[in-house]
Every structure is written in structure tokens, then in C-alpha cells.
Amino acid sequence: AGRVRRGRCYRLCPKSFFEGFGEHTTPEIHRVGLDGLCLQVLSMDLDVETFAPSLLDPPSPDTLQQALRELSDLGAVSSKKLTPLGRHLAHLPCAPRLGK
């Protein structure tokens, strides 16, 4: 919610702490593992490598490959297609490694 008028801002931390913050936060897609996202995209019968570049801040291709490799190691993906285990894991509200 952006402000449209002047007002006061109350911060619940010391000024020195606040000034140490960056101007913008790092997008979540660059901070978390992509294995869950890959499972969701594959469960919709989409190709991860064509879907990812359409995101606002797309992850690097290396990060996508690493996520697909991790899913393959779990047995959730084979030849960039979901296995029965992968379909099951895609419905769980947790990280794929925990779901297995």
C-alpha cells in the first residue's frame, strides 16, 4: 500500500539498524530453492525452461538446472517429466525433499 500524502513513519528498530538495510529486498525467487516451483510448473504440463524466462525476475538457467537435477535425484522427475512420485509431491504443501 503506497502512501499518497505526507505523514509520519514509525520504525520499530534503531536508526543505525534501519540504515543498514538495502534499498530493495532480493526477490524471493533468488533466495529460495526452485525445486518446489519446478514441480508446480511441471504438474501443469508446462516446460520449466520456457516458463522461467517469463517471470518478473527470472532465475538463472544454472539454478533451474540444479533444481531439476535435485528433483531427478529424488525420483520426482525423469526426462523433464513428472514421475508418479513427482505428481504426489507436487500436491504437498512442503519442500519436495521433506515430502519424500
Side-chain angles (χ1 to χ4, degrees):
R3 303 286 178 219
V4 293
R5 287 192 255 171
R6 295 180 59 88
R8 291 190 178 167
C9 175
Y10 297 96
R11 297 189 177 97
L12 302 177
C13 62
K15 186 175 183 176
S16 61
F17 186 73
F18 177 76
E19 289 172 348
F21 291 155
E23 187 174 339
H24 299 285
T25 59
T26 304
E28 186 174 359
I29 199 155
H30 295 291
R31 290 184 279 135
V32 299
L34 296 180
D35 47 356
L37 174 71
C38 289
L39 270 182
Q40 293 298 314
V41 171
L42 290 170
S43 72
M44 295 183 285
D45 293 324
L46 298 173
D47 181 33
V48 175
E49 292 169 341
T50 57
F51 175 80
S54 68
L55 298 172
L56 226 47
D57 288 307
S60 70
D62 293 337
T63 309
L64 281 175
Q65 291 303 317
Q66 180 182 355
L68 288 171
R69 197 169 27 253
E70 288 177 15
L71 290 172
S72 179
D73 291 346
L74 282 176
V77 174
S78 177
S79 302
K80 296 185 182 180
K81 298 284 183 191
L82 286 182
T83 63
L85 173 64
R87 291 226 173 262
H88 181 70
L89 291 175
H91 293 289
L92 297 177
C94 63
R97 192 162 296 280
L98 291 176
K100 186 174 179 187

